[in-house]
Each structure stands twice: as C-alpha cells, then as structure tokens.
Amino acid sequence: MKLRYSLCLLTLFASPLVAQTPKSLPTTEADVRFKADVLLVVAHPDDETGVSAYLAQLLDQHKRVAAVYLTHGEAGHNNMGPERAASLGAVREMELRHAMTKLGIDNVWFLDGRDTPTQNVLESLANWHHGAALEEVVRMVRFTRPEVIVTWLPGFFVGENHGDHQASGVLATEAFDMAGDPSIFPAQLAAPVHVNETLFDGLRPWQPKKIYYFSDAQEQEQFKKTGPEYVVTGISSARKLPYWRIAMEEFEFHLSQYRNYIEGLAKKDDQELVKDGWSDPVQLTFGKSNVGGSVTGDVFEGVISEPIAFIRPAEEVEKPRAGLSVELAGPWGFYQTFRREHALQQLPQAASPEIAIAGGAALQIPLLVRNGTATSKEITLSVTSPEGWATKDGVGSYTVRAGDELPVVVTLDSPKKAESKMAEIVCHAQADGQAVATIKLQVHLRAGGLPQD
Ligand SMILES: [Zn+2]
C-alpha cells in the first residue's frame, strides 16, 4: 500500500516534467514479443479445438501464433461448480489460458463481447456493440501484426452454427480489410502526446496478407478443396506425439464444458478416439490473399516477411434491382451483402438456405419485400409446409408504396416431435396475379441445439 501510494505521488510530480522531455518517450519500434505470424480470431474458449492440431504444427515450424477471443464463453453450463455468468467466464478464461500454454501459445487476449447463445449473427454483432468490437479487433490486428488471420467461417450452415462464431469471422474479415487503412480508427494510429497517455495507441496501420476460415458446419465434405487440408497424424518433432494427441491434451483443460467426456477419454483406445474424430484432418477454407498463392496451397505459400501496403478490397458492384422482389433477409440477406462488399463471393455457402431448430420451436423467416416500380403494389405472401407445421404469422397481403421496401417476418410452429428430420418450407410471393418470388428454406428438426433467436 505504501509503495503504491508513493508511486502515485511520483507519477503526479513526474508528469509535467517528463511531458516536456520527449526523449524519455518509449521507442517507436513495435514490441517484438507480440508480433504474430498467425492470429486466431474466435468467439469462445474451446473454439481453437477445430484447428489446434494445425496450430501445433505451426509452432513446430517456429511460427508465432497468437489468439483473440471475443467473449469469455460465459453463457453455457458449468460441469465443475456452481459458478455461472461472469464468474463462469472467469473459469473459462483460465481453462483456456492453461490449455493454450500447454499447446505452446502464450499470447492470448480476451475482448469485451458477451456470449450470445443464438444462431443469429446479427444478434451477436449487436450484443457485442459491433462498432466497438470491430475497433478492438482492428486494434489487435495492428498490435499483433499477423501475416495470416485464421477465423470462423462467416456463413449460415446447419451445425453448431453459433452466431458468435459467425460474428468473430465477420469481425476478423472486416479487420483484415480495415486495419491497413489509416482513415479507420485513427486514434489508434495517433502518436501519444501525454506521458500518461490513455487515448492514442501509437500503433501503425497493418495489412495482413491472407485470411483463412474453418467451420462448425455438420457437413464438412462441402469444404474439401476450398483450402488447404492438414493431416494431423504426423509426429511433432518438439513434443514427440501425434499432432491430434497434442490437440486432445489441449482440449482436456475445458472441464467446465466437457467434464464427463474428458474424464472418459483416458478409458478410450486409439480406435475409439479416431471414431470421435480426433485424427480427422484440419480443413481450412481459403478466404483471400494479398500475396498470391493457390487456394489449396500451404497457408504460408507466397507470404513474404516484409510488410505490404494497404490493399482496398475489390468492390463488386451491386446489381440494380428493378420491379418487385422478395428475398430472404436477416442473417441470410446480410451474408449476401457481406460477401459482395468483402470480395468473398467464392466462399462456400449452403446449396439452399438451411437452418436447424428444436422440434416444437417457432421458425422465423425474415423476408424483405422491395417495390422498385413506379406504382404502389399489393403483395400476397403464403407458405407451403409439410404436415405438422402451422403458419402462425406474417402471411397475407401487404401494400408497398412505389420505391419502398417492407420487412416481414413469417413465423411457423414446427411439429412437437423432436425426431431428426428435414422439412422444406416454401414462401410464395404474388402480385398482380403473378408469382414474384419463391423462397425455399431447408429446416432440420433436432433435439437441443441453439435457438434461432
Ligand atoms: Zn464456441
């Protein structure tokens, strides 16, 4: 206490003096301890599991790996004690830090996002205060100066399909395209002017060279050949263990989430562990590169050690909409815009829009009706659904003024039985006695899982 008091006094007295002596300001050379070759940007403690066997390979190649977690993953259950909410976040943070230390990664940062247990990426972005979270991710990119960013695939797929996973991929992509732009978050780039500076970071713009994605989609086959695939059965030169075993050892720290499974691991033989998927290769999806290289080539193919200048993402012109249109909106509509704005049209997407919900849960289908004609129009929405489904809300006739657009949410009750099966829900839009649009959504009914909203 005494020491702290005297340090405070020292700061108070020292400030005006030191402020007049710029020579005492720290060096402008970035702190090499935090330079990353690969920056992992994910949402929750344990999200690294899908790529940790690959990260272990990078460490063997003496690559510097760092990680940013958007949340503490505080929304789930706790298998270790009564702690929940923010206290569970504290538990998860420490489990992750121990796990990453075991893997060999020390530079791990947690941002201020809250766990959002839904499938809707827009809810996650709102819950994280999108702009504020983006500012934090851009800061971490400028601070860690990664050559390559690895993150969750921004897209809507049946699987865990966590909105937070998608949102971390959205933010990482936005940061990839913005961190090198000096007009973005300029206070991060301003030179410190006070000794006790709290506003200006003194960072430099940084343009990462490549971005890769991985996905929690149930159907992993669709990502084959969309990027490099890393076999994980090789033996680590440093650890003398197969890479998949290193990944499993890392995972064993996540006890508050998987206690029973982890405690059972010791009794499983290799065959059972292989069946659990531990030795499956790590499949990445190529996002984009500013230094060339092929889609399925190594992540570091084409990566040079020198920094590169800011590259503005290639704009793709939006096709002008004429006449009447009805489109899937919400997260599905957002991804259409996102892919176009970030020049990511080649990213895999579900063949037909899809979602998984629990049997008995309500299904919400967000639609956007646009009237690009010169006259007011009446549009009628109707739904075709399999037996057992009931349309609850949103169908009927709507008048949309000339040049206007109208968001509509069609809501259906799904059958109570939670047995795993697929349903095709079709929304029809009609105007002037003619079909305007037919929108199909594939719905997987299953027990458990995340709610839609
Ligand atoms: Zn997660």
Side-chain angles (χ1 to χ4, degrees):
M1 196 62 169
K2 208 174 177 184
L3 181 66
R4 190 198 265 177
Y5 179 68
S6 53
L7 277 176
C8 287
L9 277 180
L10 194 69
T11 312
L12 273 176
F13 288 124
S15 299
L17 293 174
V18 181
Q20 292 163 12
T21 321
K23 276 180 200 160
S24 68
L25 288 171
T27 169
T28 55
E29 195 181 333
D31 192 331
V32 294
R33 294 172 300 168
F34 305 113
K35 157 75 183 153
D37 294 310
V38 169
L39 182 65
L40 178 74
V41 179
V42 287
H44 315 116
D46 91 340
D47 282 2
E48 72 289 348
T49 308
V51 292
S52 53
Y54 170 60
L55 300 181
Q57 294 177 29
L58 289 174
L59 294 169
D60 272 4
Q61 295 159 24
H62 307 291
K63 295 283 193 283
R64 294 160 289 187
V65 181
V68 169
Y69 286 75
L70 267 298
T71 82
H72 287 76
E74 70 277 5
H77 54 260
N78 184 356
N79 287 333
M80 295 301 287
E83 301 82 4
R84 299 294 298 272
S87 294
L88 180 55
V91 169
R92 301 265 213 255
E93 171 173 346
M94 203 48 65
E95 288 176 340
L96 186 273
R97 289 190 182 283
H98 292 172
M100 292 295 254
T101 300
K102 176 83 177 175
L103 187 63
I105 298 171
D106 296 321
N107 292 340
V108 176
W109 290 273
F110 282 84
L111 304 185
D112 297 332
R114 286 301 176 117
D115 203 328
T116 324
T118 80
Q119 300 185 53
N120 190 335
V121 62
L122 303 181
E123 290 193 347
S124 295
L125 290 170
N127 194 23
W128 296 352
H129 303 282
H130 191 161
L134 177 60
E135 184 178 358
E136 287 189 308
V137 178
V138 167
R139 176 181 286 111
M140 293 314 299
V141 170
R142 287 170 171 169
F143 173 54
T144 59
R145 310 179 305 285
E147 308 300 324
V148 178
I149 290 177
V150 175
T151 186
W152 284 113
L153 180 68
F156 205 110
F157 295 92
V158 164
E160 183 178 351
N161 198 33
H162 204 302
D164 286 352
H165 293 180
Q166 301 172 50
S168 64
V170 166
L171 289 170
T173 305
E174 290 174 338
F176 180 91
D177 284 341
M178 290 179 179
D181 182 344
S183 73
I184 302 286
F185 302 127
Q188 293 179 2
L189 306 171
V193 292
H194 302 292
V195 171
N196 296 323
E197 182 63 66
T198 58
L199 298 174
F200 296 163
D201 293 71
L203 295 171
R204 303 276 172 86
W206 181 262
Q207 176 61 66
K209 297 181 175 94
K210 287 178 156 187
I211 184 164
Y212 287 87
Y213 301 102
F214 63 104
S215 173
D216 61 9
Q218 189 175 293
E219 183 47 72
Q220 285 289 314
E221 278 295 308
Q222 63 188 314
F223 305 118
K224 288 251 181 241
K225 310 284 183 204
T226 62
E229 183 187 88
Y230 291 96
V231 171
V232 300
T233 48
I235 307 292
S236 161
S237 53
R239 301 277 304 276
K240 316 292 180 211
L241 279 173
Y243 287 107
W244 67 268
R245 282 244 172 228
I246 295 172
M248 206 175 80
E249 282 189 357
E250 193 267 1
F251 176 81
E252 286 174 8
F253 287 87
H254 295 300
L255 283 164
S256 66
Q257 296 187 69
Y258 310 103
R259 182 181 184 172
N260 289 345
Y261 178 75
I262 290 165
E263 286 177 352
L265 279 174
K267 295 179 208 105
K268 293 194 175 191
D269 60 22
D270 273 17
Q271 221 175 354
E272 286 170 288
L273 295 172
V274 166
K275 211 172 150 192
D276 284 357
W278 283 105
S279 63
D280 289 354
V282 172
Q283 176 69 58
L284 297 180
T285 290
F286 172 80
K288 47 187 169 176
S289 169
N290 291 321
V291 290
S294 58
V295 168
T296 54
D298 182 65
V299 163
F300 279 86
E301 186 186 10
V303 173
I304 46 166
S305 57
E306 292 77 32
I308 57 168
F310 168 56
I311 296 166
R312 204 171 288 281
E315 279 182 48
E316 292 176 45
V317 182
E318 187 179 2
K319 286 186 202 125
R321 284 186 181 83
L324 275 175
S325 68
V326 181
E327 291 168 19
L328 207 47
W332 293 280
F334 161 67
Y335 280 124
Q336 297 301 321
T337 310
F338 175 80
R339 293 153 67 94
R340 188 175 62 240
E341 291 302 315
H342 291 279
L344 284 168
Q345 294 289 25
Q346 92 292 351
L347 279 193
Q349 55 183 331
S352 174
E354 62 182 21
I355 187 171
I357 58 167
L363 172 71
Q364 293 177 323
I365 308 176
L367 300 173
L368 186 63
V369 183
R370 283 196 180 94
N371 181 3
T373 73
T375 55
S376 190
K377 293 281 179 188
E378 188 173 286
I379 293 210
T380 304
L381 298 176
S382 60
V383 168
T384 313
S385 56
E387 206 189 321
W389 287 78
T391 307
K392 206 169 144 188
D393 204 7
V395 294
S397 293
Y398 298 89
T399 302
V400 188
R401 286 172 301 173
D404 203 1
E405 56 183 45
L406 178 74
V408 178
V409 178
V410 171
T411 309
L412 293 94
D413 280 329
S414 65
K416 293 267 181 299
K417 276 188 202 162
E419 70 197 43
S420 184
K421 62 176 178 184
M422 261 250 294
E424 185 176 78
I425 309 295
V426 187
C427 296
H428 309 272
Q430 281 197 313
D432 302 326
Q434 289 189 326
V436 172
T438 305
I439 293 157
K440 292 178 182 173
L441 186 62
Q442 308 300 322
V443 185
H444 300 232
L445 284 183
R446 66 178 184 200
L450 287 167
Q452 180 182 7
D453 282 285

